[in-house]
Amino acid sequence: MTDQSAAVLQVMWNRLLAVVEEQGQTLIRAAFSPIVRECGDISAGIFDARGRMLAQAVTGTPGHINTMAEAVRSLHARFPTQEMRPGDIYMTNDPWLASGHLNDFLLMMPVFRDGVVVGYTSCTSHLVDLGGQGMGPEGSDIYDEGLLIPPCKLVDEGRINTLLMEIVKANSREPIANEGDIYALVACCEAGAARLLAMMDEFGLDRLDRLADHIIDTSRWGTLQAISEIESGVYCNVLRVDGYEGELELHAALTISKDAVDLDFTGTSPCSSKGINVPLNYAAAYSVFALRCLIGPDIPNNAGSLEPFRVSGPPGCILNAQHPAPVAMRHTLGQMTPDLVFGCLHQAIPDRVPAEGASCMFDLPLRHTAAAARSGGRQFAVELVHNGGTGARPRSDGLSATAFPSGVFGSQVEVTEATAPVTIWRRELLPDSGGAGQFRGGLGQRIEMTSAIEEPFMVFLSVERIKNPAKGRAGGLPGAPGRIRVTGRAEDIPGKSELTVQTGEKLIFDTPGGGGFGPPEARAPDMLARDVAQGLVSQEAADRDYEGKT
């Protein structure tokens, strides 16, 4: 194609964004696991021949998308292009290369045109079980947590590596779901490759080089312009979070210059003995996502817009865990880094940064008890995902029971009951859980469940905001903390624990609310009256927190 003017290049760029969205939807439609099919725990992207990310699907999580951007670079460097063949697909679940823990599989497929590699498609999704201790924080190292697959060839010229598939199935409590999810990932790569080639045919492209340079250069320039609008300086913040051995501190020093943003985690607490440690690639993925939410948010996410952001931390701190540290529940702290970063940015752009939110997913891995397995009872493994409220924004209330920053939608009641032998008795928004303020924090939710059969089930808890609720900003009050209970037990269940819910017992968990923004007395009377009328804020709380404005 001879016409590659800026206008035509923009049309092709838009087409790539449509291609990756179709690619992501292929993965969701084909997946077996509810966390993928219903919750959207995925990423999908297209890369140029140099391994630079050109486009990513809107559906997906920062922990998958931004780690995928670096993982493809690593796989591209590891496997010589001249040895690749049409139909090859490479795979790994190495937490330090892929997405931070073993349950996320990352695939990369070279795209050939006239015998030459012109680009790559890639995707990531969560597999429900990889053996070992399973999804949960109890492993003492990575070897306890399941099956680690180094970078290897999953598909060789269109032929699946059947031995590798059998090994994955043999090391899982959910072998059929795992096999189906891997084939869904393969389909995702193939769909992206087919659509990319069709797009190149339509526009008469032999190579992507000119388009790739346009996308990356334009995005980099736009991001640098956005950075330059923020006052240069060093902005520091400390976030205190719940831990196992004791309270943990996450430290951040954000250095903003005219052409780069550097984030340093020096001072952060050392690694835990439990699996809440975070590989740096995952911590960086969520930190950069937070920065990009406020710095050039209208610029598409690709190698160019990501380039000016650099993240570092001392090896061995809990946000830069080193192999073989246990990392199964790395999202417990990794998803807290946006609030850590927002605390820095608030000092530079106070009128644009929301209050703290629930942030970390209320992630409940459930599975059968060992006794049930020995007695021939029903065996299952499932990971339920629920969300709390987001922090209030400078000009509007927070969002209730919303997946931020993860983007992983909450598990649906019908899907949960069809997948695991549990009954959901209640799922509703939790009044008064959002922090009071001129703008109210988003509400958490209450969920109650029991075993649906005459057998107990196990829950592996590693959730945040139980002891350290989301703080308000600019005079707003904190959100309500999370809470976990079992009927008939006097004490609340710690947020970091393992428990067995017996037949007849009811598990009740309240997800946290978001912090408020601005002083409560500044809230408009009609907004407060609406909150009370809709049952979002009780009259008692309105009288207490808003000084009787109703």
Side-chain angles (χ1 to χ4, degrees):
M1 182 178 188
T2 56
D3 182 7
Q4 292 197 16
S5 63
V8 173
L9 288 169
Q10 184 63 50
V11 170
M12 290 191 286
W13 187 354
N14 291 343
R15 178 63 60 83
L16 277 186
L17 295 173
V19 167
V20 290
E21 196 59 34
E22 182 176 348
Q23 182 185 347
Q25 291 302 316
T26 298
L27 174 53
I28 289 172
R29 290 196 301 269
F32 278 44
S33 298
I35 195 170
V36 179
R37 190 177 65 249
E38 305 295 336
C39 303
D41 197 18
I42 71 158
S43 70
I46 288 178
F47 297 71
D48 72 358
R50 295 162 57 185
R52 301 179 299 176
M53 187 169 75
L54 303 182
Q56 54 126 118
V58 174
T59 304
T61 78
H64 286 153
I65 291 163
N66 289 347
T67 53
M68 177 183 68
E70 290 303 313
V72 170
R73 286 181 184 267
S74 298
L75 292 181
H76 174 262
R78 183 178 294 240
F79 296 103
T81 303
Q82 61 269 25
E83 296 180 7
M84 296 178 180
R85 298 291 181 269
D88 287 351
I89 299 179
Y90 300 86
M91 180 181 79
T92 186
N93 70 336
D94 185 327
W96 287 269
L97 286 176
S99 185
H101 69 182
L102 295 175
N103 289 70
D104 290 336
F105 274 35
L106 179 138
L107 273 61
M108 180 191 79
M109 180 179 188
V111 181
F112 282 81
R113 185 173 178 81
D114 299 327
V116 177
V117 175
V118 295
Y120 299 88
T121 61
S122 182
C123 56
T124 311
S125 76
H126 183 98
L127 271 66
V128 67
D129 185 80
L130 268 296
Q133 296 272 13
M135 274 299 295
E138 299 306 314
S140 60
D141 57 29
I142 194 68
Y143 306 109
D144 273 349
E145 294 184 329
L147 179 68
L148 189 154
I149 302 171
C152 62
K153 192 179 287 188
L154 171 66
V155 181
D156 187 0
E157 297 187 69
R159 297 184 297 273
I160 197 79
N161 185 334
T162 54
L163 176 58
L164 179 57
M165 290 289 285
E166 290 302 318
I167 290 172
V168 172
K169 291 165 61 178
N171 283 274
S172 174
R173 299 172 181 87
E174 293 283 353
I176 295 174
N178 275 1
E179 182 178 21
D181 285 340
I182 292 174
Y183 278 118
L185 286 161
V186 170
C188 177
C189 282
E190 292 177 341
R195 289 291 184 251
L196 175 60
L197 290 173
M199 171 252 184
M200 294 177 72
D201 284 339
E202 180 179 347
F203 289 97
L205 294 178
D206 294 324
R207 301 290 182 270
L208 292 173
D209 299 350
R210 174 84 168 83
L211 175 60
D213 288 342
H214 171 75
I215 290 172
I216 291 170
D217 292 345
T218 302
S219 301
R220 183 193 301 111
W221 180 86
T223 304
L224 292 175
Q225 286 293 109
I227 292 171
S228 69
E229 295 170 3
I230 300 175
E231 184 175 354
S232 296
V234 180
Y235 307 96
C236 298
N237 187 36
V238 178
L239 188 67
R240 290 174 176 83
V241 295
D242 311 340
Y244 280 94
E245 295 84 359
E247 190 176 73
L248 299 170
E249 288 190 350
L250 308 182
H251 287 241
L254 184 68
T255 302
I256 298 179
S257 58
K258 292 304 179 185
D259 59 357
V261 176
D262 290 276
L263 180 66
D264 182 18
F265 294 134
T266 296
T268 292
S269 297
C271 280
S272 171
S273 62
K274 301 291 188 178
I276 57 172
N277 305 299
V278 191
L280 185 62
N281 60 343
Y282 190 84
Y286 271 98
S287 299
V288 171
F289 167 72
L291 292 166
R292 296 232 48 237
C293 282
L294 295 170
I295 302 175
D298 54 333
I299 301 169
N301 203 49
N302 54 55
S305 55
L306 292 173
E307 185 178 306
F309 300 97
R310 300 184 292 245
V311 181
S312 62
C317 79
I318 204 164
L319 295 179
N320 187 6
Q322 303 294 294
H323 185 279
V327 294
M329 304 296 283
R330 87 296 192 226
H331 48 280
T332 302
L333 297 184
Q335 292 177 12
M336 302 301 294
T337 58
D339 275 340
L340 177 65
V341 170
F342 285 161
C344 297
L345 281 174
H346 177 67
Q347 302 165 46
I349 43 175
D351 58 336
R352 292 164 54 188
V353 181
E356 292 181 3
S359 297
C360 177
M361 298 182 299
F362 245 57
D363 185 21
L364 300 177
L366 311 180
R367 64 176 182 260
H368 58 268
T369 63
R374 287 193 297 269
S375 64
R378 177 170 176 179
Q379 299 187 44
F380 70 97
V382 65
E383 185 178 357
L384 306 184
V385 177
H386 297 284
N387 299 287
T390 73
R393 294 159 287 182
R395 295 174 182 82
S396 57
D397 292 342
L399 302 173
S400 298
T402 296
F404 182 87
S406 75
V408 179
F409 307 121
S411 300
Q412 298 181 20
V413 170
E414 297 84 354
V415 174
T416 297
E417 293 181 336
T419 306
V422 297
T423 299
I424 308 296
W425 292 99
R426 182 190 303 266
R427 184 183 177 193
E428 60 188 17
L429 291 179
L430 193 59
D432 297 335
S433 55
Q438 180 181 4
F439 298 104
R440 175 183 45 76
L443 303 183
Q445 57 182 314
R446 172 166 293 171
I447 297 148
E448 300 180 3
M449 68 171 65
T450 60
S451 175
I453 58 177
E454 294 300 316
E455 292 178 2
F457 61 89
M458 298 186 70
V459 187
F460 300 87
L461 294 166
S462 185
V463 294
E464 276 295 330
R465 299 298 193 195
I466 299 293
K467 299 178 183 177
N468 289 279
K471 294 179 182 177
R473 210 177 296 283
L477 300 185
R483 187 183 182 193
I484 305 166
R485 291 165 287 157
V486 174
T487 54
R489 304 191 193 186
E491 302 292 331
D492 282 5
I493 307 299
K496 301 210 167 28
S497 59
E498 175 184 319
L499 74 146
T500 300
V501 179
Q502 301 293 338
T503 303
E505 291 184 324
K506 182 178 288 185
L507 173 66
I508 305 171
F509 57 102
D510 298 342
T511 67
F517 193 101
E521 59 268 22
R523 188 162 180 83
D526 61 323
M527 295 176 67
L528 184 56
R530 181 203 63 190
D531 290 344
V532 173
Q534 293 180 352
L536 306 177
V537 176
S538 67
Q539 186 64 59
E540 178 185 3
D543 293 340
R544 180 187 68 239
D545 297 332
Y546 296 92
E547 299 183 352
K549 288 190 69 174
T550 56

